Amino acid sequence: MTDHDEGISVLAKQGSITFVGNVANGVFGFAIVMLLTRYVSPSIYGLFVLATSIILFMQVFGNLGLPLAIDYFVPQYLEDGQEGKAKGVIVQVTATVLVTSSLVAIALATSASRASGFFDEPSLGIALLLLSITIPMLAIYNVLLTSYYSIKKLQYRVVMRDLVRPVVRFSITLGLLLAGFGLLGLIGGYIIGLFVAITVGALVFVYKAWSLLTADTEFVPAWPLLTYSVPLAMTSVVFVLMGHVDYFILGFFLTADNVGVYRVGYMLGSALMIIFNSLAPVFKPLIAETRDDTELVQQRFRVASRWIAGFTLPIAIIISLGSTSYLSVFYTPQYAEANTVVALLCSAFLFNVTFGGPDGTLLQGMGYSRIVFVNTLVLFGVNFLLSLALVPIYGIEGAAIGSATALVLVGLLTLGELYYVDRVHPFTRNFGKVVLAGVPATLTGSVVVFVLTSETAIAAALPVVVVLTYAGTLIATDAFTDDDVQMAAEFGLNVGDRLPSLSNALERFTSRFLNR
């Protein structure tokens, strides 16, 4: 049995908090898209996706990647008892990104008409002009998020990001759409939701982190912040562009309708990242604290990889097999043409997040920001070139092939790099059991899709059958380790004593059956 690792407890506790938040955020996210697909046409929704994609791309230049320095340096200063320097990092980053993001916002506002001409969408210029105000807002929003990560108090992030913002955005958007504002309603809901979230998040952070904020400020040298952040800023530029390049290429070669349909498929396919997104925010600081202890880093990586794979795999199976049903039921039948997009992206995201994540979370925590930058260049380059070649031929499926290929390739690169630099890898016998448990779950899920004819019935039955089969296979193969039991207990599942009893009961049942 391995020694009790307090980092696993922190990972589980904070991960469970973010998981609840991500579920809430996901529910509201799907609700918002369901709302949009019913009250506006695919072309208007696609236009809004194009505008927000440009905003999210430009805001990376506005914050220079500096918010990412907060959850790298602040945990280290707090670990050493240097609260003044920890506060100094937050103050320096906040002041810098306010200035730079405001300049980028002004530049975008003055060039909005050129962007609309490039995509041949006149309304895009108006959308960009109105949304440019969100660039400095997003910079402060990201500062608040990484500040929560750095002090490992992710429940406050949940309040700001996963509850306040989606609730306000949904309510305002619904009201404006019912009032007949169309595209302006989408923009209004986006801006007001972000503003209210920042306001609430700032007030909560000041109240909950009062001891940190009242410490005497000690400014730290800017050079270490920049040398760590600038590669990640470039990484973020490429990564955000990679996440939205499909929309740009689709918007250039095809129409806004295709952008809207692809966006719905992409969102459903990426929904399986909910587990990774729950653990990643606290995983990076935990790795940063112990980056010199390779054995501990590998132990934490293996635990996180098993849990990410164990929870993500059944979700990927469910969404992939039932993509047509979920697209038709949750949205409208016209979005069912994105079923292939969903299946391709599910497989690629599953592979990628299991081995370090699409943004190289493990490598970031270990300090290898330059490697992350190179990986992201590969990610973007492969996706861009393949999408550019395949979209004119295969449409939205071509964009999905480009994204999926790039994600798998970078996942393989990350595996090789981790082993090369620190001999770290996730592969164990128990990890193999977690992966192989997906085979019977896929087979039983396929039977459900083949036998049932109603899309609603498939959507309802598929999760039950796949999850029960998957969980039963894990128990039958005794796939749980001591660290898994510790994680489960910290999640509040109280399965520490149940897993052995379930396994023993299954063994007794099997023995009696065979002896008959």
Side-chain angles (χ1 to χ4, degrees):
M1 178 171 175
T2 58
D3 294 333
H4 182 87
D5 178 12
E6 289 299 327
I8 292 176
S9 298
V10 174
L11 182 65
K13 289 178 181 177
Q14 296 300 319
S16 63
I17 292 171
T18 56
F19 174 73
V20 172
N22 284 335
V23 169
N25 190 32
V27 169
F28 279 108
F30 277 106
I32 289 172
V33 176
M34 289 172 64
L35 173 71
L36 302 187
T37 55
R38 282 165 170 74
Y39 280 91
V40 299
S41 65
S43 59
I44 292 179
Y45 177 57
L47 189 64
F48 177 72
V49 170
L50 263 180
T52 52
S53 295
I54 293 172
I55 292 295
L56 292 173
F57 173 61
M58 295 300 297
Q59 66 92 22
V60 177
F61 293 100
N63 63 40
L64 300 176
L66 284 171
L68 294 172
I70 293 177
D71 62 348
Y72 179 73
F73 288 100
V74 170
Q76 297 178 53
Y77 286 131
L78 292 178
E79 183 74 12
D80 295 336
Q82 302 181 70
E83 289 192 343
K85 289 186 176 181
K87 177 186 175 183
V89 171
I90 296 175
V91 171
Q92 286 171 259
V93 169
T94 303
T96 303
V97 300
L98 267 177
V99 174
T100 55
S101 61
S102 296
L103 293 175
V104 171
I106 293 172
L108 179 62
T110 56
S111 59
S113 58
R114 296 180 182 176
S116 64
F118 178 79
F119 289 102
D120 195 23
E121 294 283 356
S123 299
L124 183 62
I126 299 174
L128 290 175
L129 182 63
L130 295 174
L131 287 169
S132 62
I133 192 176
T134 63
I135 293 180
M137 294 169 66
L138 285 167
I140 299 302
Y141 182 77
N142 288 325
V143 166
L144 284 168
L145 286 179
T146 51
S147 297
Y148 289 139
Y149 302 160
S150 66
I151 61 175
K152 303 185 193 75
K153 299 294 183 182
L154 301 187
Q155 60 267 40
Y156 311 138
R157 184 201 81 154
V158 169
V159 172
M160 178 181 75
R161 195 200 76 160
D162 302 322
L163 296 177
V164 173
R165 186 180 180 186
V167 168
V168 174
R169 181 185 174 189
F170 179 85
S171 303
I172 298 298
T173 302
L174 176 61
L176 292 175
L177 289 179
L178 290 175
F181 282 95
L183 179 61
L184 293 178
L186 307 187
I187 295 171
Y190 186 88
I191 295 174
I192 296 173
L194 182 59
F195 175 78
V196 174
I198 292 172
T199 303
V200 173
L203 291 174
V204 172
F205 184 73
V206 169
Y207 177 71
K208 295 296 183 180
W210 185 251
S211 61
L212 171 62
L213 296 178
T214 53
D216 293 333
T217 304
E218 296 182 49
F219 292 116
V220 301
W223 185 246
L225 298 179
L226 290 173
T227 55
Y228 178 79
S229 300
V230 169
L232 292 181
M234 297 300 99
T235 298
S236 297
V237 169
V238 180
F239 185 69
V240 172
L241 183 57
M242 184 269 169
H244 298 277
V245 68
D246 293 343
Y247 307 138
F248 298 150
I249 293 176
L250 288 169
F252 182 79
F253 283 109
L254 305 177
T255 64
D257 298 61
N258 298 111
V259 176
V261 172
Y262 182 81
R263 169 56 183 164
V264 170
Y266 191 97
M267 189 189 73
L268 184 59
S270 62
L272 57 87
M273 292 184 66
I274 185 171
I275 302 299
F276 172 80
N277 289 335
S278 299
L279 296 179
V282 71
F283 183 59
K284 177 184 171 181
L286 282 176
I287 295 299
E289 291 173 357
T290 59
R291 65 192 185 282
D292 296 325
D293 188 342
T294 303
E295 183 178 349
L296 185 56
V297 167
Q298 174 155 275
Q299 179 187 353
R300 292 177 175 179
F301 177 43
R302 287 178 172 178
V303 173
S305 295
R306 280 200 309 275
W307 275 68
I308 290 171
F311 278 99
T312 305
L313 182 54
I315 299 174
I317 295 169
I318 292 166
I319 295 178
S320 297
L321 293 177
S323 57
T324 301
S325 301
Y326 292 119
L327 288 168
S328 299
V329 173
F330 290 152
Y331 309 104
T332 56
Q334 62 184 326
Y335 288 94
E337 64 180 280
N339 58 350
T340 304
V341 171
V342 174
L344 286 169
L345 292 176
C346 275
S347 302
F349 275 119
L350 171 65
F351 184 86
N352 192 279
V353 299
T354 304
F355 305 120
D359 55 351
T361 302
L362 178 62
L363 289 169
Q364 284 188 38
M366 296 170 71
Y368 299 120
S369 57
R370 290 178 177 83
I371 294 179
V372 177
F373 175 53
V374 172
N375 287 353
T376 312
L377 280 177
V378 173
L379 187 71
F380 167 70
V382 172
N383 185 24
F384 177 75
L385 292 175
L386 285 179
S387 296
L388 198 63
L390 297 177
V391 164
I393 302 173
Y394 299 109
I396 60 176
E397 286 81 9
I401 293 171
S403 293
T405 304
L407 286 167
V408 171
L409 178 59
V410 170
L412 291 171
L413 274 177
T414 302
L415 273 177
E417 290 156 355
L418 288 171
Y419 188 76
Y420 177 77
V421 298
D422 279 313
R423 292 298 186 267
V424 172
H425 67 85
F427 301 114
T428 62
R429 177 178 296 181
N430 287 300
F431 180 83
K433 292 178 181 179
V434 168
V435 174
L436 291 176
V439 175
T442 301
L443 293 176
T444 56
S446 299
V447 172
V448 171
V449 175
F450 180 77
V451 171
L452 299 180
T453 56
S454 168
E455 303 292 1
T456 303
I458 293 174
L462 194 57
V464 177
V465 172
V466 170
V467 170
L468 288 178
T469 305
Y470 187 77
T473 306
L474 290 179
I475 295 172
T477 56
D478 192 24
F480 303 100
T481 67
D482 294 328
D483 286 333
D484 295 330
V485 173
Q486 181 186 342
M487 282 276 286
E490 297 296 349
F491 263 105
L493 300 178
N494 297 320
V495 298
D497 297 324
R498 297 178 191 173
L499 292 180
S501 62
L502 285 172
S503 183
N504 291 336
L506 185 64
E507 289 177 7
R508 290 196 300 270
F509 174 82
T510 305
S511 177
R512 291 175 184 174
F513 179 81
L514 293 175
N515 290 331
R516 285 183 177 181

